[in-house]
Short mmCIF file of all heavy atoms in Angstrom, two decimals:
data_model
loop_
_atom_site.label_atom_id
_atom_site.label_comp_id
_atom_site.label_asym_id
_atom_site.label_seq_id
_atom_site.Cartn_x
_atom_site.Cartn_y
_atom_site.Cartn_z
N PHE C 60 16.37 49.54 28.36
CA PHE C 60 16.32 51.00 28.29
C PHE C 60 15.62 51.63 29.49
O PHE C 60 15.75 52.81 29.74
CB PHE C 60 15.65 51.46 26.99
CG PHE C 60 16.54 51.29 25.79
CD1 PHE C 60 16.28 50.32 24.84
CD2 PHE C 60 17.66 52.10 25.62
CE1 PHE C 60 17.11 50.15 23.74
CE2 PHE C 60 18.49 51.94 24.52
CZ PHE C 60 18.23 50.96 23.58
N GLY C 61 14.87 50.79 30.21
CA GLY C 61 14.10 51.37 31.32
C GLY C 61 14.67 51.04 32.69
O GLY C 61 14.03 51.31 33.71
N LEU C 62 15.87 50.48 32.72
CA LEU C 62 16.44 50.00 33.99
C LEU C 62 16.38 51.02 35.12
O LEU C 62 16.04 50.69 36.25
CB LEU C 62 17.91 49.61 33.77
CG LEU C 62 18.16 48.30 33.02
CD1 LEU C 62 19.64 48.16 32.71
CD2 LEU C 62 17.68 47.14 33.87
N TYR C 63 16.71 52.27 34.80
CA TYR C 63 16.93 53.29 35.83
C TYR C 63 15.74 54.24 35.93
O TYR C 63 15.81 55.22 36.67
CB TYR C 63 18.20 54.08 35.51
CG TYR C 63 18.16 54.62 34.09
CD1 TYR C 63 17.67 55.88 33.82
CD2 TYR C 63 18.53 53.80 33.03
CE1 TYR C 63 17.55 56.33 32.51
CE2 TYR C 63 18.42 54.25 31.72
CZ TYR C 63 17.94 55.51 31.47
OH TYR C 63 17.82 55.93 30.18
N LEU C 64 14.68 53.98 35.17
CA LEU C 64 13.54 54.90 35.19
C LEU C 64 12.43 54.35 36.09
O LEU C 64 12.28 53.13 36.23
CB LEU C 64 13.02 55.12 33.76
CG LEU C 64 13.99 55.92 32.88
CD1 LEU C 64 13.57 55.89 31.42
CD2 LEU C 64 14.12 57.36 33.38
N PRO C 65 11.67 55.25 36.71
CA PRO C 65 10.63 54.80 37.65
C PRO C 65 9.59 53.90 36.98
O PRO C 65 9.28 54.07 35.81
CB PRO C 65 9.98 56.11 38.11
CG PRO C 65 11.00 57.17 37.87
CD PRO C 65 11.76 56.72 36.65
N GLU C 66 9.07 52.96 37.78
CA GLU C 66 8.07 52.02 37.26
C GLU C 66 6.84 52.74 36.73
O GLU C 66 6.20 52.29 35.78
CB GLU C 66 7.67 51.03 38.36
CG GLU C 66 8.77 50.02 38.65
CD GLU C 66 8.50 49.19 39.89
OE1 GLU C 66 8.85 49.63 41.00
OE2 GLU C 66 7.94 48.09 39.74
N GLN C 67 6.55 53.89 37.36
CA GLN C 67 5.39 54.69 36.94
C GLN C 67 5.46 55.06 35.44
O GLN C 67 4.44 55.23 34.79
CB GLN C 67 5.41 55.96 37.80
CG GLN C 67 4.42 56.99 37.42
CD GLN C 67 4.40 58.10 38.47
OE1 GLN C 67 4.84 57.94 39.60
NE2 GLN C 67 3.87 59.24 38.08
N TYR C 68 6.68 55.16 34.91
CA TYR C 68 6.84 55.49 33.49
C TYR C 68 7.18 54.25 32.66
O TYR C 68 7.67 54.37 31.53
CB TYR C 68 7.92 56.56 33.31
CG TYR C 68 7.66 57.81 34.13
CD1 TYR C 68 8.55 58.24 35.10
CD2 TYR C 68 6.47 58.52 33.94
CE1 TYR C 68 8.27 59.37 35.87
CE2 TYR C 68 6.19 59.65 34.71
CZ TYR C 68 7.08 60.07 35.67
OH TYR C 68 6.81 61.17 36.42
N GLY C 69 6.96 53.08 33.24
CA GLY C 69 7.23 51.85 32.50
C GLY C 69 8.65 51.36 32.65
O GLY C 69 9.06 50.41 31.98
N GLY C 70 9.41 52.00 33.53
CA GLY C 70 10.77 51.53 33.76
C GLY C 70 10.80 50.41 34.79
O GLY C 70 9.75 49.93 35.23
N LEU C 71 12.01 50.00 35.15
CA LEU C 71 12.13 48.93 36.12
C LEU C 71 12.40 49.44 37.53
O LEU C 71 12.55 48.66 38.45
CB LEU C 71 13.21 47.93 35.68
CG LEU C 71 12.61 46.91 34.72
CD1 LEU C 71 13.03 47.20 33.31
CD2 LEU C 71 12.98 45.51 35.12
N GLY C 72 12.49 50.77 37.67
CA GLY C 72 12.60 51.33 39.01
C GLY C 72 13.97 51.18 39.65
O GLY C 72 14.11 51.36 40.85
N GLY C 73 14.96 50.83 38.86
CA GLY C 73 16.32 50.75 39.40
C GLY C 73 16.98 52.12 39.35
O GLY C 73 16.30 53.15 39.28
N GLY C 74 18.29 52.12 39.38
CA GLY C 74 19.01 53.39 39.35
C GLY C 74 20.23 53.27 38.48
O GLY C 74 20.33 52.40 37.60
N CYS C 75 21.14 54.19 38.77
CA CYS C 75 22.39 54.26 38.03
C CYS C 75 23.17 52.94 38.15
O CYS C 75 23.87 52.53 37.22
CB CYS C 75 23.16 55.42 38.65
SG CYS C 75 24.79 55.60 38.07
N PHE C 76 23.04 52.25 39.28
CA PHE C 76 23.76 50.99 39.48
C PHE C 76 23.27 49.93 38.49
O PHE C 76 24.05 49.24 37.84
CB PHE C 76 23.58 50.51 40.92
CG PHE C 76 24.40 49.29 41.26
CD1 PHE C 76 25.71 49.17 40.81
CD2 PHE C 76 23.87 48.27 42.03
CE1 PHE C 76 26.47 48.05 41.12
CE2 PHE C 76 24.62 47.15 42.35
CZ PHE C 76 25.92 47.03 41.89
N GLU C 77 21.96 49.81 38.35
CA GLU C 77 21.40 48.82 37.43
C GLU C 77 21.82 49.12 35.99
O GLU C 77 22.17 48.22 35.23
CB GLU C 77 19.86 48.80 37.54
CG GLU C 77 19.32 48.01 38.73
CD GLU C 77 19.48 48.72 40.07
OE1 GLU C 77 19.80 49.93 40.08
OE2 GLU C 77 19.27 48.06 41.11
N LEU C 78 21.77 50.41 35.64
CA LEU C 78 22.21 50.79 34.30
C LEU C 78 23.69 50.43 34.11
O LEU C 78 24.08 49.88 33.07
CB LEU C 78 22.01 52.30 34.07
CG LEU C 78 22.62 52.85 32.78
CD1 LEU C 78 21.97 52.22 31.55
CD2 LEU C 78 22.49 54.37 32.71
N SER C 79 24.50 50.70 35.13
CA SER C 79 25.93 50.42 35.03
C SER C 79 26.19 48.92 34.83
O SER C 79 27.07 48.53 34.06
CB SER C 79 26.65 50.90 36.29
OG SER C 79 26.55 52.31 36.37
N LEU C 80 25.44 48.10 35.54
CA LEU C 80 25.65 46.65 35.43
C LEU C 80 25.41 46.19 33.98
O LEU C 80 26.20 45.42 33.42
CB LEU C 80 24.69 45.90 36.37
CG LEU C 80 24.97 46.03 37.87
CD1 LEU C 80 23.84 45.39 38.67
CD2 LEU C 80 26.31 45.39 38.24
N ALA C 81 24.33 46.68 33.39
CA ALA C 81 24.01 46.27 32.02
C ALA C 81 25.01 46.85 31.02
O ALA C 81 25.49 46.16 30.12
CB ALA C 81 22.59 46.71 31.67
N PHE C 82 25.34 48.11 31.21
CA PHE C 82 26.26 48.81 30.30
C PHE C 82 27.63 48.12 30.33
O PHE C 82 28.27 47.92 29.28
CB PHE C 82 26.37 50.28 30.76
CG PHE C 82 26.75 51.27 29.69
CD1 PHE C 82 26.94 50.88 28.36
CD2 PHE C 82 26.89 52.61 30.01
CE1 PHE C 82 27.28 51.83 27.39
CE2 PHE C 82 27.23 53.56 29.05
CZ PHE C 82 27.44 53.16 27.74
N GLU C 83 28.06 47.72 31.51
CA GLU C 83 29.36 47.05 31.65
C GLU C 83 29.34 45.70 30.91
O GLU C 83 30.26 45.39 30.15
CB GLU C 83 29.67 46.83 33.14
CG GLU C 83 31.00 46.13 33.38
CD GLU C 83 31.22 45.75 34.85
OE1 GLU C 83 30.40 46.15 35.71
OE2 GLU C 83 32.20 45.04 35.13
N GLU C 84 28.28 44.92 31.12
CA GLU C 84 28.23 43.59 30.50
C GLU C 84 28.23 43.69 28.98
O GLU C 84 28.93 42.96 28.30
CB GLU C 84 26.97 42.83 30.93
CG GLU C 84 27.03 42.16 32.27
CD GLU C 84 28.29 41.34 32.53
OE1 GLU C 84 28.71 40.56 31.66
OE2 GLU C 84 28.85 41.49 33.63
N ILE C 85 27.40 44.59 28.44
CA ILE C 85 27.33 44.71 26.98
C ILE C 85 28.67 45.22 26.45
O ILE C 85 29.16 44.77 25.41
CB ILE C 85 26.19 45.66 26.54
CG1 ILE C 85 24.85 45.21 27.10
CG2 ILE C 85 26.13 45.78 25.03
CD1 ILE C 85 24.24 43.98 26.51
N SER C 86 29.30 46.14 27.18
CA SER C 86 30.57 46.70 26.72
C SER C 86 31.69 45.68 26.73
O SER C 86 32.69 45.84 26.04
CB SER C 86 30.95 47.92 27.58
OG SER C 86 29.99 48.94 27.45
N LYS C 87 31.54 44.62 27.53
CA LYS C 87 32.55 43.55 27.50
C LYS C 87 32.63 42.95 26.10
O LYS C 87 33.67 42.48 25.68
CB LYS C 87 32.20 42.46 28.51
CG LYS C 87 32.50 42.83 29.94
CD LYS C 87 32.13 41.68 30.88
CE LYS C 87 32.25 42.13 32.32
NZ LYS C 87 31.73 41.10 33.25
#
Side-chain angles (χ1 to χ4, degrees):
Chain C
F60 285 109
L62 285 172
Y63 52 92
L64 291 169
E66 288 170 274
Q67 173 172 341
Y68 304 120
L71 275 104
C75 173
F76 186 42
E77 280 75 12
L78 171 63
S79 295
L80 290 172
F82 205 2
E83 180 188 353
E84 279 313 314
I85 304 288
S86 298
K87 284 180 188 173

